[in-house]
Amino acid sequence: MISLKRHLSWGLILSLITLLTLQWIVVSYVINNLIEDQLVSRMQRDGESLLAGTYFTKSGELLVDAKYISTIYERPFSGHYYVVYASKRSYASRSLWDFNIKIKPLNKGQHETSFIEGPEQQPLLLVTHGYQKQGYMITIAVAENLAPLRESITKFQLLYAGVSLLGLMALLLIQRLIVLKVLKPLQQVQVGIAKLVSGEESQIANDGPEEISPLIEELNRILASVQSKSKRSRESLGNLAHALKSKLTLLNQIAERKEMEKLPIIRKDIYTATESISHHIERELKKARLMGEIHPAKRVELNTEVAQIANTLQHMYIQKAVKISWEISPNTIFCGDREDLLEMLGNLLDNACKWCKQNVLLTAHQDKVITFTIEDDGPGCAENTLKLLVQRGFRADESTPGSGLGLAITNDIATSYGADLTCGKSTRLGGLLVKVSFPIR
């Protein structure tokens, strides 16, 4: 999964590095050309000064008046040189000492710029112009050492690179602060989703950026729709159970008519069928009575819910005087669908009440997992049938009313949460023990 923060950071880093590198190259190139143009312009002026000081004697000898020459051209290997060439005769600056610069004679108005190697391997910029004076064609070449210039340009490039690097680091720091500030609302949305999963909230707080606000609203709308549909479905189930119970009462009244005394077998079959159907309806009515507000991953108040289930079952098995007790560790927290938990515990406790002699015990504790254990003091179950208890339709005793779906449904609920359901023998009460272990969410 690509991190948005990392993606933005790397995108900006690469963009800035590319931009600053191109800027460094362009600025260096422009400054280098600008300095060289200025240098060529100055050397051209020096060449024109030399032209003004150049003259020919009556005998045709080439001379240069010293007052037109800068003293820098007199110091040996100073880095500033000139050569005046006319009529196969040349006049060179004393700074060249014994080094000879070969120049090509140019016609009037011609000029050339080139790079050559001078005395002491100095890199020289050579500017050559062609002139005409006193009827003679004169070629004046002025050269200057580029080493100091290049050294200055190198220093500038290094300084510019250092400043650019500092600027890059400052921009990246500013960008990181901006990204963190921009993404902070997303972190709040993440916290809101975590609270939704843990059951602390039923909706996601819509405090995110404008771009993701529609997404949060849509998620909240879907959550509200799921809750509403689930509640309507459970209420419809309760209404259907009530309606069926009314019809069963009518069937029993029909079976009690005098006309049915002549048909005792049919009457008995009607009573048996209505009693079995009534048993299933009672279970659905029990779930309808236990139904409350529905939230996905809502944190469930275990003591309150278990007490309510126990109270309902004790009224259902009032003739048996069932005693249901429970022990719940203080740190045990179940986060999930409240109705799933009620149906699971209701099925397990109902099964225990059905088979117990009198006592049923529920314990819940949290360690690395959340474990619910239901035990009873009934006859228990044979070792070879323990694994069959969670199969749909399996009944350990066909003489006891039931459909054999209770433990199977409970197992399905546990599986949907990634929980493990195991059956065994209770060491405390001697009957059946059912243990469900939920991973901590």
Side-chain angles (χ1 to χ4, degrees):
M1 184 179 295
I2 298 176
S3 169
L4 183 60
K5 187 190 303 181
R6 189 179 300 113
H7 187 73
L8 290 173
S9 297
W10 276 111
L12 182 63
I13 289 172
L14 294 177
S15 300
L16 287 175
I17 289 176
T18 303
L19 177 63
L20 292 176
T21 301
L22 289 175
Q23 184 177 345
W24 180 82
I25 293 174
V26 171
V27 170
S28 298
Y29 175 78
V30 170
I31 289 179
N32 187 65
N33 283 350
L34 181 62
I35 293 176
E36 285 188 3
D37 289 343
Q38 293 293 326
L39 188 61
V40 169
S41 178
R42 181 171 57 78
M43 292 169 68
Q44 185 176 356
R45 290 195 299 271
D46 287 351
E48 290 174 352
S49 296
L50 285 169
L51 177 64
T54 300
Y55 65 95
F56 292 89
T57 63
K58 292 182 179 180
S59 61
E61 183 181 359
L62 175 66
L63 296 175
V64 177
D65 192 346
K67 68 179 181 180
Y68 291 94
I69 304 172
S70 173
T71 56
I72 198 170
Y73 288 102
E74 300 296 325
R75 189 169 66 249
F77 308 129
S78 64
H80 294 264
Y81 314 102
Y82 70 83
V83 176
V84 180
Y85 180 84
S87 301
K88 298 183 180 180
R89 295 186 295 271
S90 63
Y91 189 95
S93 63
R94 293 191 61 186
S95 56
L96 280 171
W97 201 249
D98 58 353
F99 188 85
N100 183 31
I101 296 179
K102 295 180 180 181
I103 62 172
K104 181 176 70 173
L106 299 179
N107 294 325
K108 179 183 177 181
Q110 290 183 325
H111 64 88
E112 289 184 357
T113 301
S114 59
F115 298 92
I116 63 173
E117 185 177 290
E120 298 182 339
Q121 298 182 338
Q122 295 176 352
L124 302 180
L125 172 63
L126 181 66
V127 178
T128 309
H129 281 82
Y131 303 98
Q132 185 177 4
K133 188 176 183 181
Q134 295 180 248
Y136 293 93
M137 299 301 298
I138 302 173
T139 300
I140 298 177
V142 180
E144 186 168 331
N145 184 11
L146 292 177
L149 175 63
R150 291 178 176 175
E151 184 178 350
S152 298
I153 292 176
T154 301
K155 289 180 179 179
F156 166 78
Q157 290 175 331
L158 291 175
L159 178 62
Y160 185 80
V163 172
S164 299
L165 182 60
L166 291 175
L168 175 63
M169 294 175 65
L171 287 174
L172 291 178
L173 178 61
I174 295 172
Q175 179 263 350
R176 180 172 179 82
L177 294 176
I178 293 174
V179 170
L180 290 175
K181 184 177 180 180
V182 171
L183 295 182
K184 189 174 181 179
L186 292 181
Q187 294 175 349
Q188 294 175 350
V189 173
Q190 182 182 7
V191 171
I193 294 175
K195 289 183 177 179
L196 178 70
V197 173
S198 65
E200 297 178 32
E201 301 287 348
S202 60
Q203 295 275 289
I204 303 172
N206 195 357
D207 299 329
E210 181 181 350
E211 289 75 10
I212 67 168
S213 182
L215 175 62
I216 298 174
E217 290 178 0
E218 188 64 20
L219 286 174
N220 285 333
R221 188 192 66 78
I222 293 173
L223 287 172
S225 176
V226 169
Q227 294 171 20
S228 177
K229 289 179 180 179
S230 178
K231 184 175 182 179
R232 288 199 303 269
S233 176
R234 294 177 189 270
E235 288 176 347
S236 298
L237 183 62
N239 294 336
L240 177 62
H242 279 292
L244 289 175
K245 189 174 182 182
S246 299
K247 299 300 181 183
L248 288 176
T249 302
L250 181 59
L251 284 175
N252 285 332
Q253 290 174 353
I254 293 173
E256 292 173 358
R257 290 180 181 178
K258 292 183 178 181
E259 294 88 345
M260 298 301 294
E261 293 178 355
K262 299 178 182 180
L263 302 170
I265 297 177
I266 296 177
R267 173 184 282 183
K268 182 179 179 181
D269 290 341
I270 291 175
Y271 284 148
T272 302
T274 55
E275 184 180 358
S276 177
I277 296 173
S278 180
H279 176 75
H280 290 291
I281 291 174
E282 282 297 331
R283 294 184 62 185
E284 297 306 321
L285 286 175
K286 177 192 68 175
K287 288 190 287 186
R289 287 194 298 270
L290 293 174
M291 184 181 64
E293 188 179 2
I294 302 166
H295 294 296
K298 186 72 176 177
R299 185 174 294 183
V300 180
E301 181 58 49
L302 292 177
N303 281 292
T304 302
E305 301 299 345
V306 171
Q308 188 174 0
I309 296 172
N311 182 61
T312 301
L313 290 174
Q314 284 173 343
H315 280 86
M316 290 177 60
Y317 293 93
I318 192 169
Q319 295 180 350
K320 200 174 184 179
V322 173
K323 181 182 179 182
I324 302 175
S325 55
W326 58 90
E327 299 172 2
I328 300 175
S329 301
N331 64 331
T332 304
I333 299 173
F334 178 82
C335 295
D337 192 322
R338 172 180 173 272
E339 297 306 312
D340 286 340
L341 181 65
L342 295 183
E343 183 168 3
M344 182 192 71
L345 295 181
N347 283 337
L348 294 176
L349 289 172
D350 183 29
N351 185 73
C353 290
K354 185 188 304 179
W355 292 96
C356 74
K357 295 176 182 177
Q358 190 178 26
N359 296 309
V360 174
L361 173 63
L362 182 148
T363 57
H365 68 277
Q366 179 175 324
D367 188 10
K368 295 181 179 179
V369 294
I370 302 171
T371 303
F372 294 93
T373 305
I374 291 87
E375 306 172 69
D376 62 72
D377 60 354
C381 190
E383 189 76 25
N384 58 350
T385 60
L386 287 175
K387 293 183 179 180
L388 302 176
L389 289 177
V390 295
Q391 294 184 4
R392 289 186 175 272
F394 177 80
R395 295 168 61 189
D397 188 346
E398 295 292 337
S399 64
T400 303
S403 61
L405 296 177
L407 287 177
I409 293 173
T410 301
N411 186 55
D412 291 341
I413 295 173
T415 302
S416 69
Y417 282 84
D420 295 324
L421 188 148
T422 56
C423 300
K425 183 177 178 60
S426 171
T427 56
R428 297 175 67 175
L429 300 180
L432 181 68
L433 177 146
V434 181
K435 180 184 293 185
V436 187
S437 299
F438 286 85
I440 296 177
R441 299 178 61 183

